[in-house]
Amino acid sequence: EGDVPIRDAVLSVNGGEHRIAFGRDLREAGRLQARRLQVQQSLERDYMRMRQLESRYRMLFDLSAEPVFIVEAQTQRIREANSSAHTLSGARTGTLQGKKLLALLDKESRDAMQTIVGAALSSDSVSQIHVKMAKPAREVHASISGFTQDRGQFLMVRLMPQGEGDTVAAQSPVLDLLEEMPA
Protein backbone atom coordinates (compact mmCIF):
# COMPACT_ATOMS: atom_id res chain seq x y z
CA GLU A 1 0.00 0.00 0.00
CA GLY A 2 2.78 2.44 -0.76
CA ASP A 3 6.45 3.02 -0.16
CA VAL A 4 8.17 1.96 3.03
CA PRO A 5 11.48 3.63 3.86
CA ILE A 6 14.06 0.95 4.62
CA ARG A 7 17.77 1.17 5.33
CA ASP A 8 19.43 -1.91 4.02
CA ALA A 9 22.82 -3.56 3.94
CA VAL A 10 23.98 -6.52 1.89
CA LEU A 11 26.58 -8.91 3.25
CA SER A 12 28.54 -11.32 1.04
CA VAL A 13 29.18 -14.79 2.45
CA ASN A 14 31.07 -17.85 1.19
CA GLY A 15 33.46 -15.81 -0.90
CA GLY A 16 30.68 -13.95 -2.67
CA GLU A 17 28.66 -17.04 -3.58
CA HIS A 18 25.73 -15.98 -1.44
CA ARG A 19 24.42 -12.69 -0.26
CA ILE A 20 22.32 -11.84 2.79
CA ALA A 21 20.31 -8.61 2.86
CA PHE A 22 19.40 -6.92 6.14
CA GLY A 23 16.75 -4.18 6.25
CA ARG A 24 15.53 -1.79 8.90
CA ASP A 25 12.09 -0.12 8.79
CA LEU A 26 12.57 3.66 9.05
CA ARG A 27 8.90 4.68 9.44
CA GLU A 28 9.24 5.24 13.21
CA ALA A 29 12.38 7.34 12.70
CA GLY A 30 10.45 9.40 10.13
CA ARG A 31 7.60 9.96 12.58
CA LEU A 32 10.06 11.03 15.27
CA GLN A 33 11.77 13.42 12.87
CA ALA A 34 8.42 14.93 11.85
CA ARG A 35 7.48 15.35 15.52
CA ARG A 36 10.83 17.02 16.23
CA LEU A 37 10.22 19.44 13.37
CA GLN A 38 6.75 20.30 14.75
CA VAL A 39 8.16 20.96 18.20
CA GLN A 40 10.95 23.11 16.77
CA GLN A 41 8.46 25.20 14.77
CA SER A 42 6.26 25.59 17.85
CA LEU A 43 9.25 26.78 19.89
CA GLU A 44 10.16 29.30 17.19
CA ARG A 45 6.58 30.66 17.17
CA ASP A 46 6.64 30.96 20.98
CA TYR A 47 10.02 32.70 20.84
CA MET A 48 8.71 35.25 18.29
CA ARG A 49 5.63 35.87 20.43
CA MET A 50 7.81 36.44 23.51
CA ARG A 51 10.05 38.86 21.60
CA GLN A 52 7.01 40.83 20.45
CA LEU A 53 5.66 40.91 24.01
CA GLU A 54 9.02 42.04 25.36
CA SER A 55 9.16 44.76 22.72
CA ARG A 56 5.73 46.08 23.76
CA TYR A 57 6.68 46.01 27.47
CA ARG A 58 9.95 47.79 26.69
CA MET A 59 8.14 50.50 24.72
CA LEU A 60 5.61 51.04 27.52
CA PHE A 61 8.40 51.16 30.10
CA ASP A 62 10.50 53.62 28.11
CA LEU A 63 7.64 55.92 27.12
CA SER A 64 5.99 56.07 30.55
CA ALA A 65 5.92 59.53 32.11
CA GLU A 66 6.23 57.84 35.50
CA PRO A 67 9.85 57.51 36.77
CA VAL A 68 10.49 53.77 37.20
CA PHE A 69 13.58 51.85 38.31
CA ILE A 70 14.02 48.07 38.17
CA VAL A 71 16.46 47.15 40.95
CA GLU A 72 18.15 43.86 41.84
CA ALA A 73 16.93 43.11 45.37
CA GLN A 74 20.10 41.47 46.64
CA THR A 75 22.62 44.08 45.51
CA GLN A 76 20.18 47.02 45.27
CA ARG A 77 21.82 48.00 42.00
CA ILE A 78 19.69 49.58 39.30
CA ARG A 79 19.16 47.12 36.47
CA GLU A 80 16.97 49.40 34.34
CA ALA A 81 15.64 52.94 34.52
CA ASN A 82 13.33 54.68 32.09
CA SER A 83 13.94 58.17 30.71
CA SER A 84 11.61 59.76 33.29
CA ALA A 85 13.70 58.20 36.07
CA HIS A 86 16.87 59.64 34.54
CA THR A 87 15.25 63.07 34.35
CA LEU A 88 14.02 62.93 37.96
CA SER A 89 17.43 61.93 39.27
CA GLY A 90 19.26 64.49 37.11
CA ALA A 91 21.25 61.82 35.25
CA ARG A 92 22.00 61.46 31.55
CA THR A 93 20.05 58.74 29.77
CA GLY A 94 21.67 55.32 30.20
CA THR A 95 23.97 56.30 33.08
CA LEU A 96 22.01 54.84 36.01
CA GLN A 97 22.39 51.13 35.18
CA GLY A 98 24.65 49.43 37.70
CA LYS A 99 24.52 52.24 40.27
CA LYS A 100 23.24 51.68 43.78
CA LEU A 101 19.68 52.87 44.39
CA LEU A 102 20.61 54.28 47.79
CA ALA A 103 23.28 56.48 46.18
CA LEU A 104 20.47 58.52 44.58
CA LEU A 105 19.01 59.37 47.98
CA ASP A 106 19.97 61.86 50.64
CA LYS A 107 21.93 60.21 53.49
CA GLU A 108 19.06 60.81 55.92
CA SER A 109 16.61 58.88 53.70
CA ARG A 110 18.75 55.79 53.08
CA ASP A 111 17.84 53.92 56.28
CA ALA A 112 14.13 54.46 55.70
CA MET A 113 14.48 53.23 52.12
CA GLN A 114 16.44 50.18 53.27
CA THR A 115 13.66 49.30 55.69
CA ILE A 116 10.91 49.61 53.12
CA VAL A 117 12.88 47.52 50.62
CA GLY A 118 12.83 44.64 53.11
CA ALA A 119 9.09 45.11 53.61
CA ALA A 120 8.45 45.10 49.85
CA LEU A 121 10.32 41.81 49.43
CA SER A 122 8.36 40.07 52.16
CA SER A 123 4.93 41.35 51.11
CA ASP A 124 2.74 41.15 48.04
CA SER A 125 1.51 44.71 48.53
CA VAL A 126 3.13 47.95 47.42
CA SER A 127 5.18 49.67 50.11
CA GLN A 128 5.28 53.47 50.14
CA ILE A 129 7.48 56.09 51.78
CA HIS A 130 8.56 59.72 51.42
CA VAL A 131 12.30 60.23 50.85
CA LYS A 132 14.64 62.98 49.74
CA MET A 133 16.73 62.73 46.58
CA ALA A 134 20.43 63.60 46.82
CA LYS A 135 20.74 65.45 43.48
CA PRO A 136 18.70 67.39 42.75
CA ALA A 137 17.59 67.79 46.35
CA ARG A 138 13.82 67.28 46.41
CA GLU A 139 11.22 65.32 48.31
CA VAL A 140 9.75 62.35 46.46
CA HIS A 141 7.09 59.76 47.09
CA ALA A 142 8.54 56.24 46.65
CA SER A 143 6.42 53.18 45.90
CA ILE A 144 8.19 49.83 45.93
CA SER A 145 6.96 46.39 44.98
CA GLY A 146 8.91 43.17 44.78
CA PHE A 147 8.72 40.55 42.04
CA THR A 148 10.55 37.41 40.97
CA GLN A 149 11.98 36.90 37.49
CA ASP A 150 14.45 34.31 36.23
CA ARG A 151 14.82 32.93 39.77
CA GLY A 152 15.99 36.33 41.05
CA GLN A 153 14.24 38.90 43.20
CA PHE A 154 13.76 42.40 41.87
CA LEU A 155 12.13 45.62 42.96
CA MET A 156 10.08 48.03 40.93
CA VAL A 157 10.74 51.44 42.44
CA ARG A 158 8.64 54.41 41.39
CA LEU A 159 9.77 57.85 42.56
CA MET A 160 7.36 60.75 42.08
CA PRO A 161 7.92 64.36 43.15
CA GLN A 162 6.00 65.21 46.33
CA GLY A 163 2.33 65.90 45.59
CA GLU A 164 2.27 64.04 42.25
CA GLY A 165 2.82 60.56 43.70
CA ASP A 166 -0.55 60.32 45.44
CA THR A 167 -2.55 60.72 42.25
CA VAL A 168 -0.24 58.72 39.99
CA ALA A 169 0.18 55.78 42.37
CA ALA A 170 -3.50 54.94 42.20
CA GLN A 171 -3.56 54.83 38.38
CA SER A 172 -0.13 53.60 37.36
CA PRO A 173 0.02 51.78 34.02
CA VAL A 174 3.47 50.44 34.88
CA LEU A 175 2.19 48.90 38.13
CA ASP A 176 -0.74 47.39 36.23
CA LEU A 177 1.71 45.98 33.70
CA LEU A 178 3.86 44.42 36.43
CA GLU A 179 0.84 42.77 37.98
CA GLU A 180 -0.14 41.25 34.63
CA MET A 181 3.35 39.89 33.80
CA PRO A 182 3.86 36.13 34.00
CA ALA A 183 6.09 35.00 36.87
Coordinates of all heavy atoms in Angstrom, one line a residue, residues 14 30 40 42 50 56 70 78 92-93 111 129 144 156 164 176:
N14 N 30.5 -16.7 2.0 CA 31.1 -17.8 1.2 C 31.8 -17.3 0.0 O 31.6 -17.8 -1.2 CB 30.0 -18.9 0.7 CG 29.4 -19.6 1.9 OD1 30.1 -19.7 3.0 ND2 28.3 -20.2 1.7
G30 N 11.1 8.3 10.9 CA 10.5 9.4 10.1 C 9.4 10.1 11.0 O 9.3 11.4 10.9
Q40 N 10.0 22.0 17.1 CA 11.0 23.1 16.8 C 10.2 24.3 16.2 O 10.4 25.5 16.6 CB 12.0 22.7 15.8 CG 13.0 23.7 15.5 CD 14.1 23.2 14.5 OE1 14.1 22.1 14.1 NE2 15.1 24.1 14.2
S42 N 7.1 25.1 16.7 CA 6.3 25.6 17.8 C 7.1 26.5 18.8 O 6.7 27.5 19.2 CB 5.6 24.4 18.6 OG 5.0 24.9 19.8
M50 N 7.2 35.9 22.3 CA 7.8 36.4 23.5 C 8.6 37.7 23.2 O 8.6 38.7 23.9 CB 8.7 35.4 24.2 CG 8.0 34.3 24.9 SD 6.8 34.8 26.1 CE 8.0 35.3 27.4
R56 N 6.8 45.2 23.3 CA 5.7 46.1 23.8 C 6.0 46.5 25.2 O 5.7 47.7 25.5 CB 4.4 45.3 23.6 CG 3.9 45.3 22.2 CD 2.5 44.7 22.2 NE 2.4 43.4 22.6 CZ 2.3 42.3 21.8 NH1 2.2 42.5 20.5 NH2 2.2 41.1 22.2
I70 N 14.0 49.5 37.9 CA 14.0 48.1 38.2 C 15.4 47.8 38.9 O 16.4 48.1 38.3 CB 13.9 47.2 36.9 CG1 12.6 47.6 36.1 CG2 13.9 45.7 37.3 CD1 11.3 47.4 36.8
I78 N 20.7 49.3 40.3 CA 19.7 49.6 39.3 C 20.0 48.7 38.1 O 21.1 48.8 37.5 CB 19.7 51.1 39.0 CG1 19.3 51.9 40.2 CG2 18.7 51.4 37.8 CD1 19.5 53.4 40.0
R92 N 22.1 61.6 33.0 CA 22.0 61.5 31.5 C 21.4 60.1 31.3 O 21.6 59.1 32.0 CB 23.4 61.6 30.9 CG 23.9 63.0 30.9 CD 25.2 63.2 30.0 NE 26.0 62.0 29.8 CZ 27.0 61.6 30.5 NH1 27.4 62.4 31.5 NH2 27.7 60.5 30.3
T93 N 20.7 60.0 30.2 CA 20.1 58.7 29.8 C 21.1 57.6 29.7 O 22.1 57.8 29.0 CB 19.3 58.9 28.4 OG1 18.3 59.9 28.6 CG2 18.6 57.6 28.0
D111 N 18.3 54.9 55.3 CA 17.8 53.9 56.3 C 16.4 53.6 56.1 O 15.9 52.4 56.1 CB 18.1 54.4 57.7 CG 19.6 54.3 58.1 OD1 20.3 53.6 57.4 OD2 20.0 55.0 59.1
I129 N 6.7 55.3 50.8 CA 7.5 56.1 51.8 C 7.8 57.4 51.1 O 7.9 57.5 49.9 CB 8.8 55.4 52.2 CG1 9.4 56.1 53.4 CG2 9.7 55.2 51.1 CD1 10.6 55.3 54.0
I144 N 7.3 51.0 46.2 CA 8.2 49.8 45.9 C 7.4 48.5 46.0 O 6.6 48.3 46.9 CB 9.3 49.7 46.9 CG1 10.1 51.0 46.9 CG2 10.3 48.6 46.6 CD1 11.2 51.1 48.0
M156 N 10.5 46.9 41.8 CA 10.1 48.0 40.9 C 9.9 49.2 41.8 O 9.1 49.2 42.7 CB 8.8 47.7 40.2 CG 8.4 48.9 39.3 SD 6.9 48.6 38.3 CE 5.7 48.9 39.5
E164 N 2.7 64.8 43.5 CA 2.3 64.0 42.3 C 2.1 62.6 42.5 O 1.3 61.9 41.9 CB 3.3 64.2 41.1 CG 3.5 65.6 40.6 CD 4.5 65.6 39.5 OE1 4.7 64.6 38.8 OE2 5.2 66.7 39.4
D176 N 0.2 48.3 36.8 CA -0.7 47.4 36.2 C 0.0 46.4 35.3 O -0.3 45.2 35.4 CB -1.8 48.1 35.4 CG -2.7 49.0 36.3 OD1 -2.8 48.8 37.5 OD2 -3.3 49.9 35.7

